[in-house]
Amino acid sequence: MTDAEMETLSSLLYPCYSEFMAAKHEHALNEMMNSIRDVTQLLDLNELLERILASALAVIPYESIGVLWSYDPAIDALKVKARAGEMGEEMLRMRMKPGEGIIGKTYVRGEPRLYNNIRILEEDVGNMSEENRGYLYTAYHFENVCSIISVPIKVEGQTECVLIFYQKGTIPLFGEAEVRLLQSFADQVSIAITNAKLYAHLSEQNKALIRRDEIHSSLMKLSLQNKGVGSIVGELSRVIGVPLTFVDFIDNEWYPRRTEADKEWSMERLLKLYQSLTAPDYLSVVPGEGQHPSHYLYPIASARQCLGYLMLRSEGPLEALQLIALEQGSSILALELMRKQSLAEFYFKKTQQFFNDLRLSKESGEYWEKSGEIGIGPSTRLAVGLLEFPEPADPSALSTMSLQLISFLRDKMTLAVMPVAFGSERRITLLLISPETYVAGQLERKLIACINDWGKKAGTQLFGGLGSIRAGLDAVNTSYQEADKALAYQKTRGELAPIRYAEIGVNRLFIRQPAEDLEAFIAEVFEPLRTAKGQAAMLEDTLTAYMACGGSASQTASALHIHINTLYQRIRKIEELLGMSFSSQEHLLHLQLACYLRQTLPNGR
């Protein structure tokens, strides 16, 4: 053909070519619209990903093989999610790291790419691992593949899937038009994936809410039926599906009974753990050693006081529903413990009324009738103890702490030894019966040891006073008054510890004496000594040492490292300044008492 004939033929063919291309693009557009319509109607994510590949192949007008890859964050790699064509099952074993091969590079780049020559292909295939390369060429021989398109599918700006198409034949037919077409399809598919994920998330949330209501209803039903803490813990353990232990700090009990696996967790250790926590991260996870499961610890608290602890052991992390059940159960248990506390407060008021009636009974018949209700007879040896929380203590926490302390003491002392115990505001009153087998002082020592033990565990020390052990008609009232004086003595000294009334000694004469009067009495002795120029400290020390040595001049001189004549000179100076004589029994007692108070009272100096 001549050039003129070739030009004429080309001109005649252009309308046919244009018509063919228009029909081709119209077909592709219709296929893409139909595919998008099918894809966007799916809400199940797994089914959606399988349908995407079939729909994408329908958009491509050439004979092709397609594979859909999806990123799995658990293994930090992409794996085959769907395949269409002649790809073998060996491809399912491939794990492509981000940046590895065509798939990994498309995932990292986030942009589509057309491979229609060997140079571009080798750039992206060269870093594939030998293992993946072996799986790939076993799955397909690739001898009749002449062009490839790789397209990322993004969700919220992050690549999640990669579509790859292998065009079969001898002439490369994929071009930029197909790349743009597939990228448009991928953009629409990303919307469908987003919708499917949102739907799945909402479905899970809805299931969680329904399950939470069911859990709350079942636990609340047990609470309203007064089934007790044990039943609630058992139901909660069944719902969570793992062994569960509840530690009740109020009654010092374990539900179910403490096992060997729980021995490492004492109430003291749990309380220290709670004190170290900050809201809202209350759940503590303690990894197990070796093959042992992890411990999950959740406190039950009210008014900033720990009422108990939920403990469970699990091989792996807790699921969302298990955490929801744990939170629901903790709320119900908190209500149950608060109800128990309210009942205890009511019992305290009734017990306080009984104790006051017993203490203030005027007639012997009335007294023995009431005391007989708790096992007190004419020969019963008893004592009263008074404890008081120091200020500033949180008023909202006093009731809980009082109940915890009384439960602890009852557990250690037994009901027979401590038949009456109640709290009122900051004070706790105890009525103790000394068993016949106890030797003198054994009851008081045991009680003081228990109080100190609880104080160390709870991180709270208390003022305390113990009356003398007595028997007879007025034993309760007399021992109560002694305990009250001993408590007042400890509070005056600021000493956070229990003390027996008998240990106060001569100080019982000053328990109710105003602090200002005692300070004035001390000042009357020591202020005149401070007027002596250059001798103030020397005269004060001499007087204090002389009284401490029992009035022995030789011992005093030796203690002060001075000559005895120097001591006599100082004594005469003290007598002169005070207008007193050491030979007068009354004056000597006055000076001894001033020195004693100066040493023992908190503000004595």
Side-chain angles (χ1 to χ4, degrees), residues 31-335:
E31 288 293 335
M32 188 173 75
M33 295 298 294
N34 293 332
S35 299
I36 291 172
R37 187 184 304 112
D38 291 340
V39 167
T40 53
Q41 289 176 352
L42 296 175
L43 293 175
D44 182 83
L45 186 59
N46 291 326
E47 185 180 355
L48 173 63
L49 293 176
E50 293 177 0
R51 186 72 65 84
I52 286 173
L53 183 60
S55 301
L57 284 173
V59 172
I60 301 296
Y62 311 118
E63 185 179 5
S64 305
I65 299 172
V67 182
L68 174 64
W69 295 77
S70 178
Y71 177 73
D72 186 351
I75 59 175
D76 187 31
L78 293 104
K79 57 185 182 180
V80 176
K81 198 68 178 177
R83 55 200 172 94
E86 304 164 19
M87 285 290 179
E89 292 188 357
E90 287 296 313
M91 179 170 276
L92 300 178
R93 303 174 64 181
M94 295 178 66
R95 298 292 183 267
M96 302 291 284
K97 292 290 183 180
E100 179 185 355
I102 295 175
I103 306 303
K105 283 186 165 54
T106 303
Y107 176 83
V108 172
R109 272 195 307 262
E111 295 178 355
R113 192 162 194 181
L114 171 64
Y115 299 87
N116 53 11
N117 63 67
I118 193 66
R119 182 186 60 80
I120 300 176
L121 184 64
E122 288 179 347
E123 287 180 2
D124 284 0
V125 174
N127 68 338
M128 279 182 63
S129 67
E130 289 299 325
E131 183 180 16
N132 284 328
R133 194 186 297 270
Y135 292 145
L136 180 63
Y137 290 119
T138 303
Y140 193 74
H141 51 78
F142 292 99
E143 293 177 357
N144 61 342
V145 172
C146 55
S147 63
I148 302 172
I149 295 178
S150 181
V151 181
I153 298 178
K154 296 183 179 181
V155 177
E156 297 181 357
Q158 177 63 42
T159 304
E160 289 206 4
C161 300
V162 174
L163 271 172
I164 186 167
F165 299 94
Y166 304 93
Q167 182 236 319
K168 297 166 64 177
T170 57
I171 301 174
L173 299 176
F174 283 165
E176 293 299 328
E178 283 71 27
V179 174
R180 290 193 298 270
L181 181 65
L182 288 174
Q183 184 60 65
S184 299
F185 176 78
D187 292 341
Q188 296 299 317
V189 166
S190 68
I191 298 174
I193 293 177
T194 302
N195 292 338
K197 285 192 170 185
L198 289 174
Y199 177 78
H201 180 65
L202 290 174
S203 296
E204 288 298 320
Q205 284 189 324
N206 186 53
K207 290 179 182 178
L209 289 173
I210 294 174
R211 185 62 180 146
R212 185 192 67 177
D213 291 343
E214 293 174 352
I215 294 169
H216 179 81
S217 177
S218 64
L219 295 177
M220 183 59 74
K221 183 178 180 180
L222 292 175
S223 178
L224 294 175
Q225 292 175 349
N226 293 322
K227 294 294 185 179
V229 172
S231 297
I232 295 174
V233 173
E235 174 65 12
L236 185 59
S237 180
R238 185 192 67 79
V239 169
I240 293 179
V242 294
L244 183 68
T245 302
F246 175 63
V247 189
D248 185 348
F249 282 11
I250 293 180
D251 288 339
N252 300 307
E253 293 185 3
W254 294 69
Y255 300 91
R257 295 181 64 86
R258 196 173 187 183
T259 62
E260 288 296 326
D262 300 322
K263 288 296 177 65
E264 62 179 294
W265 293 100
S266 63
M267 291 188 180
E268 183 178 3
R269 184 181 177 187
L270 289 171
L271 186 60
K272 289 181 179 179
L273 174 64
Y274 173 75
Q275 292 169 348
S276 68
L277 300 177
T278 55
D281 299 324
Y282 284 127
L283 179 64
S284 300
V285 182
V286 181
E289 297 181 0
Q291 301 298 322
H292 296 286
S294 300
H295 275 86
Y296 291 82
L297 309 167
Y298 197 93
I300 311 299
S302 175
R304 297 179 295 281
Q305 287 296 309
C306 187
L307 306 179
Y309 247 99
L310 280 170
M311 304 169 54
L312 58 94
R313 297 178 297 278
S314 178
E315 299 290 348
L318 295 181
E319 298 176 358
L321 279 176
Q322 290 178 315
L323 291 173
I324 290 174
L326 197 60
E327 292 179 359
Q328 290 292 312
S330 67
S331 301
I332 302 298
L333 285 172
L335 290 175

Side-chain angles (χ1 to χ4, degrees), residues 142 196 295 356 401 442 478 513 522 548 557 583 601:
F142 292 99
H295 275 86
N356 289 335
M401 296 176 68
Q442 183 176 350
T478 303
Q513 195 71 27
I522 297 170
S583 60
L601 292 181

Side-chain angles (χ1 to χ4, degrees), residues 441-493:
Q442 183 176 350
L443 177 66
E444 297 95 318
R445 289 193 298 270
K446 184 175 181 180
L447 177 64
I448 292 174
C450 290
I451 293 171
N452 292 334
D453 188 25
W454 182 86
K456 292 177 182 178
K457 292 180 178 180
T460 302
Q461 300 299 318
L462 297 91
F463 297 114
L466 301 177
S468 304
I469 295 181
R470 298 178 174 276
L473 182 64
D474 201 38
V476 175
N477 189 43
T478 303
S479 185
Y480 174 83
Q481 292 177 359
E482 291 176 347
D484 187 51
K485 292 177 181 178
L487 176 62
Y489 174 69
Q490 290 295 79
K491 291 170 64 178
T492 301
R493 299 168 63 210

